[in-house]
Every structure is written in C-alpha cells, then in structure tokens.
C-alpha cells in the first residue's frame, strides 16, 4: 500500500509505523482494540489542523462462507464485549458489497453465520468518530479466513496480497469521500464559543469539542445541554462529560 500511494516512512515516529505523503497517512496499528484506539488517536494528534479528516480502517476479517479475498464496506459494527452497535454513514452508492462485522477480543472458535468478525473495527470507529463525522469514516474489510481456510492459516505475505488486489477500488473510495469532506461547511454548534471562552481547550481538544457538540445535536435533534451545575475545571472535564452523556444514549451514529 505504501508503494501504491507513494508513501514514505517517517523514521522520527517510534510508537507506530507511519507512512505518509502530502495527502495520506498510513498508520500500522497491529492487532487488537487497544492498539487500534491508540493508533487512531496518535495519528489524529499528528494532523490536528485538518478540519474534516477522512479516516479509513483497512484490515482483514473472517467469515464462515465468504471467499478469501472478498472486500466488504462495513455498514454496522457490533462490539461483542460491550454489546454496542455503531452505524457508519454511507452517503454514496457502495462500489462493493456491504456487511456487518462483530469485533471480539480474541478469535472465536466458530464463525458467525451472518457477520464478519475482526478484533479492531469497533475501537477504530469509537475513536475516529471523536475527531470527525461519521460520513468521513470508512471501514473496509477483506476476508482472510473462513471455514475452509481458518485463521491459523493466515500468513503476512498473503494479507499484503489480499489488500493489494483492491488498492484501485480503495483509491476510488478515498477520492469520493475526500471530495465530500472538501465540500462540507459545518455550522458551529451554539455552545462551542461559550465553552471555549469559559474553559481552556488545546487545539486538538477544540476540534474534539466541535465534533462532540455536532454529534449531540444530530443524535438528539438539538436537545439542550445543561452545563451550569457540572463541576468542570478544564476542557478535558467537559469532553469527558460529553462523552459520558453520549455513551448513555440509546442511539449511536
């Protein structure tokens, strides 16, 4: 992928392998939800000036019956541990099949009949939606294992080959979503200015605040938020409180 998009490895970055050019950053996070969440947050911290970042998870997944190498654009993510569901907003006609995915903490002994299965998608979406809108988030999964070729057969070179076969389509999807991001003009949430005047937010925290307030407006049809009685000492306290409020709602973007 780095070669296809002409990305150069940034040797000054140590926590993750990061490859980038002027427009694209590829971060190799490794397996698991914790690694994925850290990788997304770390990457966003590198590019805080981007107002509407497009975030894409390109990875592998298992399924009982789908052929190896099949590509799916995910439209529903289920975290098996928390039982929360997330619904990425697809604002275009997908050029490939769509499907739901279950995210687990360890490989399952039996494949699910309907959903794909991986170990990162829910953490990717949960973290990414803190920094950008759902429309700017894509989760692409390529089938790497099934009943006939179980997870123990997966080899690194095989995974690279599976991804390489879909790079032209991935580039097409990126181009489409980037064009959408460039055309978006988001009105500033009404509480944004009062809050940044009242509490200290870093540049990155201001971006998180704007996204969180916009999500709240969308999720609740602009229901008011009462901050006066809450004991906030900093912008971090505000963001934590907002996160808790949204996690306690029944609807997830």
């Amino acid at each position: 992928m780095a070669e296809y998009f002409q990305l150069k490895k940034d040797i000054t970055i140590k926590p993750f392998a990061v490859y980038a050019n002027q427009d694209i950053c590829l971060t190799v996070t490794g397996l698991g939800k914790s690694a994925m969440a850290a990788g997304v947050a770390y990457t966003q911290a590198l590019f805080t000036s981007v107002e509407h970042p497009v975030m894409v998870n390109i990875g592998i997944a298992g399924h009982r019956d789908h052929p190896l190498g099949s590509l799916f654009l995910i439209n529903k993510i289920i975290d098996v541990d928390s039982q929360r569901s997330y619904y990425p907003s697809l604002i275009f006609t997908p050029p490939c099949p769509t499907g739901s995915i279950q995210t687990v903490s360890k490989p399952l002994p039996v494949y699910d009949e309907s959903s794909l299965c991986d170990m990162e998608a829910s953490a990717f979406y949960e973290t990414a939606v803190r920094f950008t809108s759902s429309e700017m988030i894509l989760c692409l999964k390529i089938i790497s294992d099934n009943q006939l070729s179980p997870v123990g057969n997966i080899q690194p070179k095989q995974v690279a080959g599976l991804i390489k076969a879909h790079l032209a389509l991935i580039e097409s999807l990126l181009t489409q979503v980037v064009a959408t991001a460039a055309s978006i003009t988001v009105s500033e949430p009404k509480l944004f200015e009062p809050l940044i005047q009242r509490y200290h937010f870093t540049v990155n925290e201001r971006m998180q605040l704007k996204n969180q307030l916009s999500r709240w407006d969308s999720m609740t049809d602009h229901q008011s938020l009462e901050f006066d009685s809450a004991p906030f000492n900093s912008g971090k306290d505000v963001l934590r409180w907002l996160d808790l409020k949204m996690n306690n709602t029944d609807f997830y973007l």
Side-chain angles (χ1 to χ4, degrees):
M1 182 176 291
E3 182 179 355
Y4 182 91
F5 289 105
Q6 298 182 333
L7 308 178
K8 183 178 180 181
K9 186 173 184 179
D10 190 333
I11 59 174
T12 65
I13 296 175
K14 303 301 182 182
F16 299 94
V18 175
Y19 303 79
N21 61 20
Q22 187 174 353
D23 303 309
I24 297 174
C25 173
L26 168 65
T27 302
V28 182
T29 64
L31 293 174
K33 291 192 286 186
S34 295
M36 174 59 74
V40 173
Y42 187 88
T43 304
Q44 176 58 29
L46 297 175
F47 301 95
T48 55
S49 62
V50 180
E51 186 174 2
H52 303 294
V54 173
M55 298 189 176
V56 184
N57 172 215
I58 301 170
I60 57 174
H63 188 271
R64 192 182 72 171
D65 303 314
H66 291 320
L68 300 185
S70 304
L71 174 69
F72 289 85
L73 180 60
I74 302 302
N75 57 14
K76 179 180 180 180
I77 302 168
I78 306 156
D79 187 288
V80 172
D81 296 328
S82 68
Q83 287 299 300
R84 288 180 179 167
S85 295
Y86 306 92
Y87 299 88
S89 300
L90 304 183
I91 56 175
F92 51 84
T93 301
C96 61
T98 60
S100 63
I101 192 167
Q102 293 187 1
T103 296
V104 298
S105 296
K106 58 183 179 180
L108 297 177
V110 179
Y111 289 99
D112 187 76
E113 293 184 11
S114 56
S115 297
L116 282 68
C117 185
D118 85 332
M119 298 175 65
E120 294 86 27
S122 64
F124 164 73
Y125 188 86
E126 273 190 295
T127 310
V129 83
R130 295 173 185 270
F131 302 107
T132 193
S133 63
S134 181
E135 295 82 1
M136 302 298 105
I137 301 172
L138 297 177
C139 186
L140 294 164
K141 292 296 175 176
I142 301 168
I143 301 299
S144 58
D145 55 285
N146 54 29
Q147 281 191 132
L148 298 177
S149 181
V151 65
N153 293 349
I154 299 175
Q155 299 295 325
K157 288 185 178 180
Q158 174 198 10
V159 173
L162 293 176
I163 295 174
K164 185 177 181 180
H166 294 287
L167 288 176
L169 188 147
I170 291 170
E171 182 179 24
S172 175
L173 280 169
L174 282 173
T175 300
Q176 192 164 355
V177 180
V178 167
T180 301
S183 68
I184 289 178
T185 302
V186 179
S187 59
E188 200 167 86
K190 64 179 181 180
L191 280 175
F192 180 73
E193 278 296 330
L195 285 172
I196 64 172
Q197 294 294 329
R198 187 170 178 180
Y199 305 101
H200 173 70
F201 293 85
T202 65
V203 172
N204 188 49
E205 288 168 352
R206 287 189 180 199
M207 183 177 295
Q208 291 183 54
L209 176 65
K210 185 179 290 187
N211 284 323
Q212 295 284 62
L213 290 173
S214 296
R215 285 187 66 215
W216 175 264
D217 286 343
S218 298
M219 293 165 63
T220 66
D221 193 24
H222 298 270
Q223 179 180 325
S224 63
L225 277 166
E226 301 297 332
F227 282 91
D228 291 343
S229 61
F232 300 135
N233 296 314
S234 67
K236 284 187 174 65
D237 293 336
V238 176
L239 292 173
R240 279 193 290 265
W241 187 82
L242 271 171
D243 188 50
L244 181 63
K245 289 283 287 185
M246 283 186 284
N247 284 339
N248 286 334
T249 62
D250 295 327
F251 177 74
Y252 292 87
L253 289 176

